[in-house]
Amino acid sequence: MRTTTLGPARRAISVLGLGCMSMSHPGRDEEESLSVLRAALDAGITFLDTADKYGKGHNERLVGTAIAGRRDEVTVATKVGFVGSSRDAKPVDGSPDHIRRSCDASLERLGTDRIDLYYLHRVDPHVPIEESVGAMAALVEAGKVAQLGLSEVTVATLRRAWDVHPVAAVQSEYSIAAREVEEDVLPACRALGTTFVAYSPLGIGLLTGRVRTPDDLPPGNRLPKQSRMHDRHRAHNLRIVDELAAIAGDVGCTLPQLAIAWLLTRDVVPIPSSSRRSYLEDNLGALDVDLGEDVLARIDEVAPIGAFRGERKSSLGLRLVGR
Ligand SMILES: NC(=O)c1ccc[n+]([C@@H]2O[C@H](COP(=O)([O-])OP(=O)(O)OC[C@H]3O[C@@H](n4cnc5c(N)ncnc54)[C@H](OP(=O)(O)O)[C@@H]3O)[C@@H](O)[C@H]2O)c1
């Protein structure tokens, strides 16, 4: 497994991470999920992504079970901040008190005495970022957290956070289907020495090529909530997916592999979800896919920034990402 480094501390992590969120979606098989986690570690994936929100703590417990006895092999990233869904009046709590209490709860669920990367999942519009990051910095001082991260932030917020404490990673949605971060956040991360972690690298399933209608998605998948899958945009978006699948066919890889390999050429760390062994094996295959300049140019032609129509989140979800 090739490695890269995380933030200014330059901790080594695998170039490909594993998103664990879907393992806590309804109807998932816990044994299969654990087997995916263990197989990922065996394959050299050392960067696991969870959050206290996923399955209301279930996901952190699952990760804790998988890493028991293998703690030092892994960089565990978890997140704090969500206290409800985007439909709630107060979906996010970034207060110092909530951050302190949540960190202890996450440590307990993960069965560990330190979180390697602790993200603020969303910025609380009612709490200055300096206060939230200040509380997280105190957790670093206390030895409970090694490095700090932010998720879905603007460049201005990222810079304000850096004035309080180094930000090792920013995690935002980034894929061939959602390239907006290329315009601002991604270059800012590169300039600051902040690692960029690409969540939803497979477009929440759109870039797997298996999704033609919302009914094709497993329970818990949030793609149907976006306007991208609505009737007025779906045919357009699926045409782009088909063109990308044709490029993958010419390269000799699967569409998920093309989507992940494309991100790997951009020096970001993709964290695809996979709650099935077969998906994990497929996604690992991206590490052997070499995309030449001609292929990258074809992808740019088919799917430049803004090519996919519709919003990448529900209208309520968009309110929380500061765009
Ligand atoms: N910071 C944030 O706000 C935030 C937001 C969303 C996600 N995340 C993180 O990012 C990770 C990934 O994001 P995501 O789950 O939204 O989207 P994604 O990884 O782009 O897509 C996941 C979907 O694709 C399916 N899939 C994965 N590999 C596949 C393959 N090779 N062939 C066919 N289908 C495949 C998954 O199946 P399964 O359902 O079976 O896994 C799931 O339905 C999450 O696990 C989470 O850790 C962070």
Side-chain angles (χ1 to χ4, degrees):
M1 175 67 69
R2 300 193 299 276
T3 59
T4 183
T5 56
L6 182 64
R10 303 194 62 75
R11 181 187 171 94
I13 54 168
S14 52
V15 290
L16 180 64
L18 179 67
C20 302
M21 181 177 71
S22 65
M23 297 177 187
S24 295
H25 283 164
R28 299 314 162 97
D29 178 342
E30 190 145 322
E31 280 313 308
E32 174 82 359
S33 295
L34 282 172
S35 125
V36 170
L37 277 157
R38 289 177 178 135
L41 297 184
D42 291 344
I45 289 184
T46 59
F47 188 47
L48 300 182
D49 189 81
T50 180
D52 61 357
K53 175 186 161 77
Y54 303 161
K56 295 188 177 140
H58 170 269
N59 207 253
E60 289 183 327
R61 274 191 214 96
L62 193 71
V63 169
T65 305
I67 63 173
R70 306 181 71 167
R71 178 66 186 91
D72 291 339
E73 290 174 41
V74 204
T75 295
V76 177
T78 191
K79 317 184 192 78
V80 59
F82 268 114
V83 288
S85 85
S86 48
R87 287 183 301 279
D88 295 331
K90 183 178 170 54
V92 172
D93 187 346
S95 65
D97 192 42
H98 176 72
I99 289 171
R100 274 190 297 272
R101 277 186 286 110
S102 303
C103 178
D104 287 338
S106 287
L107 285 168
E108 214 237 304
R109 286 190 291 264
L110 288 162
T112 185
D113 59 359
R114 68 169 198 286
I115 293 166
D116 301 309
L117 175 62
Y118 202 36
Y119 290 102
L120 186 63
H121 209 155
R122 290 289 182 277
V123 176
D124 184 338
H126 305 296
V127 178
I129 188 68
E130 290 79 2
E131 275 186 35
S132 299
V133 174
M136 295 167 81
L139 297 171
V140 176
E141 287 259 306
K144 296 180 179 186
V145 166
Q147 297 197 77
L148 303 186
L150 301 171
S151 176
E152 291 284 6
V153 285
T154 61
V155 173
T157 302
L158 173 60
R159 289 191 190 286
R160 281 171 60 192
W162 256 98
D163 285 343
V164 179
H165 191 276
V167 180
V170 161
Q171 175 173 143
S172 287
E173 183 168 354
Y174 186 31
S175 71
I176 298 177
R179 298 183 55 172
E180 290 70 17
V181 291
E182 287 174 22
E183 290 172 335
D184 45 24
V185 179
L186 193 49
C189 284
R190 290 196 176 123
L192 289 163
T194 295
T195 299
F196 187 95
V197 177
Y199 83 68
S200 301
L202 304 176
I204 325 175
L206 189 60
L207 297 174
T208 62
R210 296 175 188 230
V211 179
R212 309 305 292 187
T213 75
D215 293 338
D216 297 331
L217 289 156
N221 184 299
R222 61 193 196 291
L223 186 60
K225 292 185 188 154
Q226 307 177 353
S227 54
R228 291 190 162 184
M229 284 304 277
H230 290 176
D231 287 344
R232 64 185 183 285
H233 298 313
R234 197 166 67 223
H236 168 87
N237 291 337
L238 289 178
R239 254 194 311 279
I240 302 178
V241 170
D242 291 342
E243 287 182 57
L244 292 169
I247 297 175
D250 291 346
V251 171
C253 68
T254 65
L255 181 52
Q257 289 171 352
L258 183 88
I260 293 168
W262 180 82
L263 286 166
L264 292 174
T265 66
R266 295 172 169 249
D267 201 21
V268 302
V269 183
I271 49 166
S273 270
S274 41
S275 65
R276 298 179 201 203
R277 284 288 291 270
S278 56
Y279 292 170
L280 175 71
E281 301 306 329
D282 187 14
N283 298 342
L284 280 166
L287 296 164
D288 301 319
V289 174
D290 198 6
L291 300 179
E293 289 303 323
D294 53 331
V295 175
L296 295 174
R298 272 179 79 190
I299 295 173
D300 273 344
E301 208 174 297
V302 166
I305 297 178
F308 283 79
R309 290 188 190 151
E311 297 291 357
R312 67 183 177 90
K313 289 197 178 295
S314 68
S315 53
L316 291 169
L318 277 175
R319 276 192 329 191
L320 295 175
V321 298
R323 283 175 181 270

